[in-house]
Amino acid sequence: MHVDRDTLATALYVKIDDELKASPQLNRWRPAVGIAPKITDAELITLAVLQSVLSYHKEAQWIRYARKNLLHLFPDLPKQPGYNKRL
């Protein structure tokens, strides 16, 4: 476990989640019925910001890194096609 990376991820998530809750117009519309996503929009945005901050330019490399090092923070991390689709 890397404490600094985990702290950064947690702080980013809290800030992004608070901003999405404070500004409901930023949230994506979802139908009332259907399959609910396993990963929240705040988690997905946090992962995208972390990808940029940690300088991963290729998504395949980023997903491998995240699955190896961040799965304890994001247990429902989608595979690359799902990540691309939601992002």
Side-chain angles (χ1 to χ4, degrees), residues 9-59:
T10 303
L12 275 172
Y13 172 76
V14 169
K15 179 66 175 168
I16 291 168
D17 191 50
D18 288 346
E19 289 296 322
L20 287 176
K21 287 179 182 173
S23 304
Q25 73 275 11
L26 297 176
N27 288 326
R28 197 171 170 174
W29 177 83
R30 298 209 189 293
V33 296
I35 299 172
K38 291 184 179 182
I39 187 169
T40 66
D41 290 341
E43 289 173 319
L44 194 67
I45 294 169
T46 301
L47 284 167
V49 171
L50 282 173
Q51 178 182 356
S52 178
V53 168
L54 297 176
S55 300
Y56 279 88
H57 303 291
K58 297 182 180 179
E59 286 185 357

Side-chain angles (χ1 to χ4, degrees), residues 1-7 68-69 72-73:
M1 181 166 95
H2 193 277
V3 177
D4 295 336
R5 182 193 56 226
D6 291 354
T7 304
K68 182 178 178 186
N69 298 296
H72 64 285
L73 297 173

